[in-house]
Amino acid sequence: VDVDDVLDVTERMFKYVWKEVLDVELADFARIPYSESLERFGSDKPDLRFGMELVDLGDVFSDTEVKVFRSVLDEGGAIKAIVVPGQAGLARKDLDALVDEAKALGAGGLVWIGVGPATGDSVELKSPLDKFFTDAERSGIVKTAGANEGDLVLVIADARVSVVHKVLGNLRGRLADRFGLIPDSDRSDPD
């Protein structure tokens, strides 16, 4: 007996119980390897009901002069982000609260980047670090993250990759709930 045998029996049992008790046909269960789950969702228990997957910005900042990012990369750490759709217009106090929330989760800080309109080959960003970004970094952030105008990009950089995953994984779930990004049909009914 191996792991796949146990998972197969468990999945068939769940499908059978749901069908018999609730008359609900469950789809096949997604199997995501542990390392892939951490890379994409920051958790080994990923919530697949919404997007906001973690994106690696290491290549975007590979030649950066932004000191905090440079030191993280030099130490073998990670620079990753999540995109919160449509939240670039958050008030400064709300953005500061997100920074505090990230710190409470173990991050040294959080860089927020509001994506504005694109003009020609460049894109307008609103961020405390924007003046330090090169044009290539600005466009690389938006392209790599898959962000659109009006989106908020949240970046965590740390020499400990586990911290990056933990913080972004937690923020991902909290913000999806806070901003109503989980489809209503997928929310559990407390009654």
Side-chain angles (χ1 to χ4, degrees):
V1 176
D2 64 14
V3 171
D4 286 329
D5 294 323
V6 173
L7 290 174
D8 183 54
V9 168
T10 305
E11 289 171 8
R12 285 187 293 124
M13 185 266 312
F14 271 107
K15 286 180 174 184
Y16 176 80
V17 170
W18 277 69
K19 179 64 178 162
E20 290 297 313
V21 175
L22 300 172
D23 197 30
V24 172
E25 297 269 346
L26 293 179
D28 288 341
F29 289 40
R31 292 189 188 180
I32 303 171
Y34 177 79
S35 60
E36 180 184 339
S37 183
L38 288 180
E39 290 291 323
R40 291 176 53 199
F41 304 102
S43 170
D44 63 345
K45 303 176 290 291
D47 191 334
L48 304 178
R49 298 175 296 170
F50 59 94
M52 290 177 54
E53 291 189 25
L54 281 62
V55 291
D56 190 337
L57 297 178
D59 287 345
V60 172
F61 292 106
S62 62
D63 296 322
T64 193
E65 296 299 319
V66 178
K67 288 181 183 180
V68 66
F69 293 161
R70 177 80 274 137
S71 67
V72 163
L73 292 175
D74 288 347
E75 293 178 39
I79 304 170
K80 291 193 173 190
I82 57 173
V83 176
V84 187
Q87 298 302 319
L90 281 180
R92 181 61 189 250
K93 70 178 179 80
D94 295 323
L95 295 168
D96 290 342
L98 284 175
V99 173
D100 292 340
E101 194 171 348
K103 287 179 178 179
L105 290 167
L110 171 113
V111 176
W112 52 265
I113 303 167
V115 180
T119 53
D121 290 338
S122 65
V123 63
E124 180 183 319
L125 300 180
K126 175 184 167 190
S127 174
L129 292 185
D130 184 52
K131 64 185 173 186
F132 301 108
F133 296 151
T134 65
D135 286 341
E137 289 169 344
R138 283 186 193 90
S139 62
I141 292 166
V142 173
K143 182 179 179 183
T144 303
N148 297 305
E149 182 178 341
D151 290 346
L152 179 66
V153 181
L154 301 176
V155 181
I156 298 288
D158 199 287
R160 298 160 298 167
V161 178
S162 61
V163 169
V164 174
H165 289 160
K166 175 188 164 201
V167 174
L168 286 176
N170 275 286
L171 285 176
R172 180 181 175 270
R174 291 176 182 197
L175 296 175
D177 189 50
R178 191 176 301 161
F179 296 121
L181 301 175
I182 301 170
D184 285 339
S185 63
D186 289 343
R187 292 184 180 271
S188 61
D189 187 359
D191 291 329

